[in-house]
C-alpha cells in the first residue's frame, strides 16, 4: 500500500475508533502494533514491560482517539508519540537500570529498515530529516538518534558515551538547534 | 568553539519541546512540560513540530509482532471481550441502542467492576430487571460479600412521582421482601438485611414496584411491578 493510502486509511480508522468502533481499533492494531511494539521494546528492552505498555498504548488510543486531529499530525506520528511517551514514562518510573544498545548500533541505524516501508509516509519529510541529520557532526546526530530510539536521559547518554554531562547536553542541544534550522529552512 | 560552549538561555528555552520529544528529560521535567502543554499553545505546536519531524527516526526500529495474547488483553481492557454471561450481552445491547445514558452505562460498568474486585467467599450475583415489554430497566448486582446490593437504573424513562421499591422474592417462595427504595435517576447501594442475606441466591427474583412516597405502607407491593428479573451467578 502506498504511503498516502496508508495514512488516510489509518486516519479514517481512528475517526471510527473515536466513535467507539472496536473493529476499527482492531484494524489500527493490526496495522501498527508491530511497529509500536518494536518502538516500546527498543526503549524498555524487556518483553513483558513492552507488552504492558503496548496494552496501555492501545487503551489510550481507544480513549483518546477523539483528540487525534488529522490536520495537525499524521496518524502514525500520533501513535508513535503515544507509544514513546508511555514507554519513556515506564522507563523513568522503573528502578531497574536498563541496558542500552551499544552506541555502534545507534550509529548504524541511519538506514531505515525496509520492513517498515509500508508505514513510511511523507517520504519527503523523512528524506529531509535524513539529510539534515547528515549535516550535523556525526557524534551530535548519533547522540540524537540514540536519545530518540532508547528514550535515554542526558545523564544516561553521557555515561554511555563516556563524556561529561555538560558535553552531552551541549552536543544534543547544538544538534537540535541546527536540525531545527535545517528542517525549517 | 569548544564542545562545552554554553547554549544561549533563550535557545535552551526554545529547545525544551525538542528535548521532551527526544526523550532526554527526567520524569519531573516531563510532567512539567506536560503541565505547560495544556496552557501554552506555542509550546504545544513546537512539540507537534518535533514529533512530526522526528517520527522518521522510528523507522530505524525493526517491527516486532507482539504476542498473540496482547490483543485479547487490550480487548478485555476496553471491555470489548466476549463474555459468557448473557447479562453482558444485554449491557452491550443497551449501550449500542443508546437507551442508557453514558453516565448510567458507566455506572453499571463501575458496579460490575466493583463486585469483581471484592474478595469474598461467594460468587457475585447479578440480575437484569426488565419491564413488561422486555426492555431492561435496572441492573442489580450483589457484592461478593453478599450483604450489599448495587442497583443501577438503565432505560427507565419515567417521571412518575411515585417511589420505586425493590423487592426480593427468594427462590421457592412467593412473598416479596422489601429491600428498600431505589432511585430512578441514579445508582444506589443498599444494605441487605442480615435476615435476608442467606436468601439472596441464584434464582431468587428481584422486582421493582411503584409505591406511595416513602414506600409501601403494607410491607407488600401495592402498585404495579415495573421491572423484574432473576439473580444469576456472574
Amino acid at each position: 500500500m502506498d504511503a498516502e493510502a496508508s495514512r488516510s486509511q489509518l486516519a479514517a480508522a481512528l475517526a471510527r475508533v473515536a466513535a467507539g468502533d472496536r473493529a476499527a481499533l482492531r484494524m489500527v492494531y493490526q496495522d501498527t502494533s508491530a511497529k509500536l511494539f518494536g518502538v516500546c521494546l527498543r526503549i524498555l528492552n524487556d518483553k513483558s514491560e513492552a507488552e504492558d505498555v503496548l496494552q496501555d498504548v492501545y487503551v489510550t488510543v481507544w480513549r483518546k482517539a477523539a483528540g487525534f486531529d488529522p490536520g495537525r499530525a499524521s496518524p502514525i506520528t500520533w501513535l508513535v508519540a503515544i507509544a514513546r511517551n508511555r514507554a519513556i514514562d515506564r522507563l523513568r518510573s522503573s528502578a531497574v537500570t536498563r541496558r542500552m544498545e551499544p552506541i555502534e548500533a545507534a550509529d548504524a541505524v541511519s538506514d531505515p529498515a525496509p520492513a517498515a516501508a509500508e508505514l513510511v509516509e511523507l517520504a519527503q519529510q523523512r528524506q529531509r530529516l535524513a539529510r539534515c541529520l547528515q549535516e550535523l557532526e556525526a557524534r551530535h546526530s548519533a547522540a540524537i538518534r540514540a536519545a530518540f530510539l532508547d528514550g535515554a536521559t542526558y545523564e544516561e547518554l553521557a555515561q554511555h558515551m563516556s563524556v561529561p554531562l555538560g558535553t552531552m547536553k551541549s552536543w544534543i542541544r547544538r544538534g537540535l538547534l541546527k536540525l531545527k534550522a535545517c528542517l525549517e529552512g | 568553539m569548544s564542545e562545552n560552549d554554553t547554549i544561549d538561555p533563550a535557545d535552551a528555552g526554545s529547545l525544551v519541546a525538542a528535548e521532551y520529544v527526544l526523550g532526554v528529560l527526567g520524569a519531573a521535567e516531563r510532567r512539567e512540560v506536560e503541565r505547560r502543554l495544556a496552557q501554552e499553545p506555542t509550546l504545544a505546536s513546537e512539540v507537534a513540530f518535533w514529533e512530526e519531524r522526528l517520527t522518521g527516526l522510528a523507522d530505524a526500529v525493526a517491527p516486532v509482532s507482539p504476542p498473540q495474547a496482547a490483543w485479547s488483553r487490550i480487548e478485555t481492557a476496553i471491555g470489548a471481550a466476549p463474555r459468557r454471561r448473557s447479562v453482558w450481552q444485554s449491557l452491550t445491547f443497551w449501550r449500542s441502542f443508546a437507551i442508557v445514558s453514558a453516565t448510567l452505562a458507566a455506572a453499571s460498568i463501575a458496579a460490575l467492576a466493583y463486585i469483581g474486585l471484592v474478595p469474598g467467599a461467594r460468587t457475585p450475583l447479578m440480575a437484569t430487571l426488565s419491564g413488561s415489554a422486555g426492555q431492561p430497566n435496572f441492573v442489580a448486582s450483589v457484592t461478593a460479600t453478599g450483604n450489599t446490593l448495587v442497583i443501577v437504573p438503565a432505560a427507565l424513562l419515567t417521571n412518575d412521582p411515585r417511589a420505586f421499591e425493590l423487592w426480593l422474592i427468594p427462590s421457592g417462595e412467593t412473598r416479596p421482601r422489601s429491600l428498600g427504595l431505589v432511585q430512578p435517576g441514579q445508582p444506589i447501594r443498599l444494605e441487605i438485611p442480615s435476615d435476608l442475606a442467606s436468601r439472596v441466591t441464584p434464582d431468587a427474583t428481584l422486582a421493582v414496584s411503584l409505591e406511595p412516597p416513602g414506600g409501601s405502607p403494607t410491607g407488600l407491593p401495592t402498585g404495579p411491578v415495573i421491572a423484574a428479573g432473576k439473580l444469576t451467578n456472574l
Side-chain angles (χ1 to χ4, degrees):
Chain A
M1 191 194 310
D2 72 64
E4 226 15 76
S6 160
R7 178 193 171 113
S8 55
Q9 204 169 79
L10 255 183
L14 285 173
R16 285 169 52 205
V17 171
D21 183 337
R22 295 180 167 113
L25 183 70
R26 167 117 222 195
M27 275 177 51
V28 173
Y29 181 83
Q30 278 166 347
D31 281 357
T32 60
S33 58
K35 183 181 182 76
L36 300 192
F37 191 56
V39 165
C40 293
L41 199 55
R42 173 66 185 260
I43 290 173
L44 292 161
N45 219 338
D46 179 298
K47 260 209 149 85
S48 79
E49 291 264 359
E51 224 186 301
D52 270 4
V53 169
L54 191 74
Q55 177 183 334
D56 198 17
V57 167
Y58 285 96
V59 171
T60 303
V61 169
W62 175 249
R63 290 205 326 261
K64 299 203 169 161
F68 166 67
D69 176 359
R72 268 182 80 106
S74 72
I76 197 66
T77 293
W78 188 70
L79 292 165
V80 166
I82 292 174
R84 290 187 66 251
N85 283 331
R86 293 295 160 136
I88 289 169
D89 286 340
R90 176 66 63 100
L91 190 62
R92 298 283 183 276
S93 70
S94 82
V96 184
T97 312
R98 179 181 50 110
R99 178 182 63 82
M100 276 174 64
E101 291 281 317
I103 211 72
E104 299 76 55
D107 275 336
V109 296
S110 42
D111 294 324
E118 76 272 15
L119 284 165
V120 173
E121 45 178 27
L122 303 175
Q124 286 182 326
Q125 194 163 292
R126 308 264 162 132
Q127 281 164 12
R128 179 169 214 163
L129 174 65
R131 185 170 52 73
C132 289
L133 280 168
Q134 268 169 15
E135 285 181 12
L136 304 184
E137 269 187 55
R139 54 194 177 178
H140 295 187
S141 68
I144 286 173
R145 282 181 213 275
F148 185 90
L149 295 171
D150 294 319
T153 59
Y154 279 130
E155 287 80 2
E156 289 168 322
L157 289 164
Q159 201 172 22
H160 193 64
M161 289 173 109
S162 307
V163 295
L165 177 60
T167 303
M168 180 52 69
K169 284 190 177 174
S170 170
W171 282 3
I172 286 187
R173 286 178 175 164
R174 204 173 296 285
L176 286 171
L177 283 174
K178 196 166 173 192
L179 193 58
K180 190 177 187 200
C182 178
L183 289 170
E184 283 173 337
Chain B
M1 103 175 78
S2 101
E3 282 165 0
N4 286 309
D5 273 0
T6 48
I7 300 278
D8 184 294
D11 285 341
S14 76
L15 281 175
V16 73
E19 289 173 312
Y20 172 76
V21 172
L22 200 56
V24 289
L25 302 180
E29 295 165 299
R30 287 176 63 76
R31 294 296 83 78
E32 170 65 13
V33 171
E34 282 158 7
R35 192 190 56 74
R36 287 178 54 197
L37 279 178
Q39 298 151 5
E40 298 175 36
T42 315
L43 187 66
S45 56
E46 281 173 21
V47 165
F49 170 90
W50 284 107
E51 280 177 345
E52 198 69 54
R53 302 309 167 101
L54 293 181
T55 290
L57 285 173
D59 291 346
V61 181
V64 181
S65 294
Q68 285 286 317
W71 169 252
S72 45
R73 286 175 60 195
I74 291 163
E75 236 183 349
T76 307
I78 64 165
R83 303 284 171 153
R84 280 174 292 117
R85 306 307 306 191
S86 59
V87 67
W88 269 102
Q89 271 135 33
S90 54
L91 270 177
T92 308
F93 171 86
W94 303 348
R95 296 180 83 194
S96 52
F97 285 81
I99 56 176
V100 184
S101 78
T103 315
L104 295 179
S108 321
I109 307 285
L112 292 171
Y114 171 71
I115 57 170
L117 289 173
V118 177
R122 300 171 51 146
T123 312
L125 295 169
M126 158 136 242
T128 301
L129 283 64
S130 304
S132 54
Q135 81 282 12
N137 284 343
F138 293 91
V139 60
S141 59
V142 178
T143 55
T145 51
N147 50 25
T148 309
L149 182 144
V150 177
I151 183 159
V152 185
L156 205 59
L157 304 170
T158 177
N159 38 26
D160 198 301
R162 285 177 286 184
F164 294 70
E165 192 158 2
L166 178 67
W167 306 88
L168 171 76
I169 304 144
S171 180
E173 296 189 34
T174 52
R175 192 167 90 86
R177 318 290 178 116
S178 177
L179 290 174
L181 297 181
V182 300
Q183 297 294 327
Q186 65 184 63
I188 198 161
R189 179 179 302 177
L190 297 168
E191 295 300 319
I192 297 173
S194 52
D195 59 318
L196 287 180
S198 63
R199 287 190 254 193
V200 178
T201 58
D203 284 325
T205 299
L206 293 178
V208 174
S209 68
L210 294 178
E211 301 296 336
S216 165
T218 66
L220 286 172
T222 60
V225 171
I226 55 159
K230 275 188 191 296
L231 283 166
T232 53
N233 283 314
L234 184 64

